[in-house]
Amino acid sequence: MPGRLKVMRYAVRLIAVFAVTALASLFSFSPQPFFFSTLFTVVGIFFSIGFSIVIGFDFSAITNDSLVKGLRRRLKQIEHSFTIHFAIATGAFFLADQNPKPITIKGFCFSFIALSVVSSLYILIYLIVNFSRLQRLKDEVSDLIRHSRAQEKS
């Protein structure tokens, strides 16, 4: 059931991004091309920072193998999530870059630039929130190492 819940959360987020994009398109939201390009650059920088933090974790001071496996699994989930979200931002950016003018389908106007901006803003917020998850995990690892060393001294 937890897997289903995760898929549902992703689906709801995706629907929300498209709904906000549809609203932005409806109101002819069209920022300058440099804006969505700059926003994508910022997302790329945040992705790089987050990914660097993830791969920089060191569990060598933890001797409990099952604990290390659990921590690595949590990091893999974060790494996977970062990668998926960045891939979405990249796809939206390329769509907007190749289709800068809004398209109209059966009277409905859709802007790929709006999609790029909305998805990039969502992903930027997502990355920022997950930086705090990484910080909590880093604190947890630090506490485990300190606790382990304190037990060794006793």
Side-chain angles (χ1 to χ4, degrees), residues 4-48:
R4 263 192 180 164
L5 184 60
K6 192 179 243 184
V7 169
M8 288 297 294
R9 281 195 312 229
Y10 278 121
V12 167
R13 291 174 185 164
L14 189 61
I15 290 168
V17 165
F18 276 103
V20 172
T21 299
L23 268 172
S25 296
L26 181 68
F27 292 107
S28 300
F29 172 74
S30 61
Q32 297 297 317
F34 74 87
F35 177 77
F36 84 92
S37 176
T38 303
L39 186 58
F40 178 72
T41 301
V42 171
V43 169
I45 291 167
F46 271 73
F47 169 76
S48 297

Side-chain angles (χ1 to χ4, degrees), residues 42-109:
V42 171
V43 169
I45 291 167
F46 271 73
F47 169 76
S48 297
I49 292 168
F51 211 78
S52 296
I53 292 169
V54 168
I55 63 173
F57 269 84
D58 180 21
F59 302 122
S60 61
I62 301 174
T63 56
N64 184 331
D65 288 340
S66 63
L67 186 60
V68 170
K69 284 180 185 178
L71 291 169
R72 284 187 179 145
R73 185 177 61 250
R74 286 171 61 190
L75 274 180
K76 274 291 186 205
Q77 289 171 343
I78 294 171
E79 178 184 331
H80 182 73
S81 181
F82 275 20
T83 303
I84 288 172
H85 282 81
F86 185 67
I88 291 168
T90 302
F93 175 78
F94 284 126
L95 277 172
D97 191 50
Q98 296 301 310
N99 303 291
K101 298 205 184 300
I103 59 170
T104 304
I105 302 171
K106 295 186 180 182
F108 178 75
C109 183

